[in-house]
Amino acid sequence: MQPLDRFSGHADLYAQYRIDYPADLYEFILKYCPDRQHAWDCATGNGQVAGALAELFDQVDATDISETQLILAVKKPNIRYQTSLAEQTPFTDNSFDLITVGQAIHWFDVNAFHEEVRRVAKPNAVIAEWGYGLVKLGTGLDEIMLDFYRNRIGPYWDPQRTHIDNRYAGLAFPFANVQYATFTARRTWSLERFLNYLRTWSAVRQYIHENEEDPVIGLGEELKPVWGDGEREVTFPVFLRLGVVS
């Protein structure tokens, strides 16, 4: 299966405007991960997860199919970036104490990836996969956002997006001691900052490609009367599944 790269073409936007993840997500994962020598962040994108793991593990390997993304990724001395498929990596057997995938498992050949996880994981290593759903803006704005998401750009989402909406319920997770948890990422953003985040969405990029116009401009005009000129809190519902590679 040919891997899908939906992000190299706007890697600069992705590096600037994608969200990072709340501290309590990492705290939850670490409860199940007593050994913290070596972690692998798969589909690392701009390195946001790799950067967090670098503060917690001795060594972090981070991979992505997008060389452009890796060039722009956060740099730390104990992070090693490599271009690699998720399903076929250069790592030796029994290498990692923790393997993470943030907002990306839905792009993979999931069964093949999990086979690779079993190969490169140490005994009793932890595998953590998570994503985040549609942003919440508050009364008067959520209705506009939902219409934009479902109707204006809805036809431009890849079919894999349904796995995010379903919180990965339809994707296999054949590991032991499975745990599920939810978190909330809270950010305080201006409208301009929020609109630039939306421009990182793969469906928005596809809409622009096919129609040669930016749908986010019109959305911004709809949101502005309620949003106002200042900043407001935006929240992202984060969902996690975690298991032990036995």
Side-chain angles (χ1 to χ4, degrees), residues 106-236:
H106 52 291
W107 297 113
F108 298 173
D109 179 332
V110 174
N111 292 332
F113 170 67
H114 287 155
E115 285 299 311
E116 185 69 350
V117 166
R118 291 190 180 280
R119 184 184 71 80
V120 302
K122 295 178 182 178
N124 298 314
V126 169
I127 168 73
E129 301 172 354
W130 67 85
Y132 59 91
L134 182 62
V135 61
K136 302 296 182 184
L137 303 175
T139 304
L141 296 173
D142 284 337
E143 298 82 0
I144 297 171
M145 230 7 265
L146 186 61
D147 180 69
F148 179 80
Y149 177 76
R150 287 181 175 174
N151 300 318
R152 185 69 185 277
I153 65 165
Y156 298 88
W157 286 110
D158 288 282
Q160 292 90 333
R161 179 68 191 188
T162 59
H163 293 304
I164 292 290
D165 294 334
N166 295 332
R167 298 190 169 198
Y168 293 166
L171 297 178
F173 196 62
F175 300 101
N177 192 26
V178 174
Q179 307 292 322
Y180 298 94
T182 58
F183 309 89
T184 301
R186 302 181 186 278
R187 302 291 178 265
T188 302
W189 285 350
S190 67
L191 178 58
E192 181 182 8
R193 172 68 176 78
F194 175 69
L195 297 178
N196 279 325
Y197 156 73
L198 295 182
R199 291 185 175 100
T200 71
W201 283 7
S202 59
V204 169
R205 306 314 302 180
Q206 188 64 24
Y207 184 103
I208 292 171
H209 174 72
E210 293 188 23
N211 297 282
E212 297 184 349
E213 66 174 30
D214 182 356
V216 172
I217 295 173
L219 175 66
E221 293 171 353
E222 290 186 70
L223 294 175
K224 186 173 176 53
V226 181
W227 192 296
D229 294 326
E231 296 183 332
R232 66 183 296 127
E233 183 178 74
V234 299
T235 63
F236 298 84

Side-chain angles (χ1 to χ4, degrees), residues 58-91:
D58 296 338
Q59 177 66 41
V60 176
D61 276 280
T63 60
D64 203 281
I65 61 171
S66 171
E67 184 177 359
T68 306
Q69 290 248 68
L70 297 183
I71 290 171
L72 296 173
V74 59
K75 304 299 190 294
K76 293 188 177 181
N78 61 333
I79 302 175
R80 178 173 57 185
Y81 291 107
Q82 297 183 72
T83 305
S84 174
L85 297 173
E87 302 86 353
Q88 187 176 359
T89 69
F91 305 127

